[in-house]
Structure formats: structure tokens, C-alpha cells
Amino acid sequence: GENVEQHPSTLSVQEGDSAVIKCTYSDSASNYFPWYKQELGKGPQLIIDIRSNVGEKKDQRIAVTLNKTAKHFSLHITETQPEDSAVYFCAALGYSSASKIIFGSGTRLSIRP
Amino acid sequence: GAVVSQHPSRVICKSGTSVKIECRSLDFQATTMFWYRQFPKQSLMLMATSNEGSKATYEQGVEKDKFLINHASLTLSTLTVTSAHPEDSSFYICSAMEGRGYTEAFFGQGTRLTVV
């Protein structure tokens, strides 16, 4: 089955700087890669997603890149703000996972004022 | 995005009792619903997948007789934790998907279960 690895587990950046979180996946048939933001005591919220027919997608300060050959995908947050502090999860979904969204282990992002 | 409502948000129960958690898709028909469990500072662990009108598919190691899942309609799935024990205390999260794969999944706000 699908396995998703995520790094780093914790990340602290100065407000205004960029943050990058990286993930790798094992199932080459996976073709949908969402990113979720989870605040304390709440369910995950989708912040951006990318499909395998696209290499990059951007939404204001958030961008995601996908390298299908290497089975890597990354989240980039620019001009970080205090409200970006949360836990971020990457995920993958594909044929062999039978519609199941498999989550990475999460990254706790802290923005220093 | 679409809204998934999960209820209750918090519940405390005594050991040996059963607890039911509801997950509703408010503005779309959820062909597929998922139930996750999350321990503190850990990722979401998929417990089971349910399709409307059919039996849930449980992940390896999840006791189907303990975690009863019912997906009786396209807008409602329930998770019942039977004969709860303190080790069942956790954060339970549901999600709903309109199609069968490759579409966005919407998450509920989670239920904090504490078994005393």
C-alpha cells in the first residue's frame, strides 16, 4: 500500500521568511496530493492540492510542487505570518489505496515574531 | 468548500458504556466516508472506509466489533465505540468524499473522546 513520509517534523521560521515542507510517496499510481492545515483541537482543513498532471500550483502565499519521477512533493509558504502556525499534513491518494487518503506524519510549524 | 459536521465535539463516558459519533455532509452527498483516529502529536490513522449502503472496510488491526460504522444515507455516517475503555480515549475525525476517489475530501471538526 501507499506510504507517505514527511519532513521535517518540526519547523520554526522567522515571521516574513519562507517555510518548506517536503513529502515522498511510495505508490507510483497515486495521482492526487492534498495538503492540510490542522489547528489545535480541530479537524484538518484543505489548504491546497495538486494532481499528477500538474507540476506546480500556487494560491497566494502557498504553493505546491510535484516531481512524479522522484515521487516528491513539497509545500512552500512565503511571507509567513503568525496565523500560519499549525500542524501541516501532506497526503496522497491513488488507485492502489482504493480511494483512501494516506497522511504523512505531520510538521509542526511555528512562526517566530 | 463543502461542510462536514461532526457531533459531538467532546464527550466523556464511563468505562463499559458505548458512545456514538455522528458525521454529516451538509451540502453534498457523500458517497464515501472515512473515520480516522488521532493520538496527541501524531498523524491521522485511518480506521475504516464506508460507502453508502454497504459494509465498512476496516483497516488492519481495527476491531470492527468494537468500532461499529454505519453509513445508512448519503449524508450521514456514525461511529459507535462499544464497551469503551480508557485506551479508546482519542480524537476521532471523519471525512467525506463526494465521489469515489480523486476528489477533495472534507473533514469534520473532530470528536474528543475521554473514557473514565
Side-chain angles (χ1 to χ4, degrees), chain B residues 31-33 48-58 64-65 67-72 77 100:
Chain B
T31 305
T32 308
M33 285 188 168
T49 303
S50 71
N51 293 301
E52 184 266 337
S54 59
K55 290 184 178 180
T57 302
Y58 289 82
K64 62 180 180 181
D65 293 331
F67 299 99
L68 302 178
I69 292 172
N70 184 283
H71 191 168
S77 176
R100 290 182 186 266

Side-chain angles (χ1 to χ4, degrees), chain A residues 11-88:
Chain A
L11 179 60
S12 178
V13 301
Q14 193 74 36
E15 182 178 352
D17 287 350
S18 296
V20 179
I21 303 171
K22 298 182 179 182
C23 289
T24 61
Y25 60 99
S26 61
D27 186 355
S28 57
S30 291
N31 59 6
Y32 175 62
F33 306 93
W35 285 88
Y36 295 92
K37 177 182 180 182
Q38 186 179 30
E39 297 178 339
L40 190 63
K42 297 183 179 180
Q45 294 295 312
L46 180 74
I47 55 172
I48 196 168
D49 57 12
I50 191 168
R51 298 187 185 275
S52 59
N53 58 347
V54 175
E56 184 174 356
K57 183 177 179 181
K58 189 173 182 180
D59 182 5
Q60 298 182 342
R61 297 187 295 110
I62 296 173
V64 57
T65 59
L66 172 65
N67 182 329
K68 285 179 58 180
T69 303
K71 292 189 279 188
H72 289 174
F73 57 116
S74 301
L75 177 71
H76 304 252
I77 306 174
T78 59
E79 301 174 21
T80 53
Q81 300 169 5
E83 53 265 35
D84 294 330
S85 295
V87 179
Y88 292 81

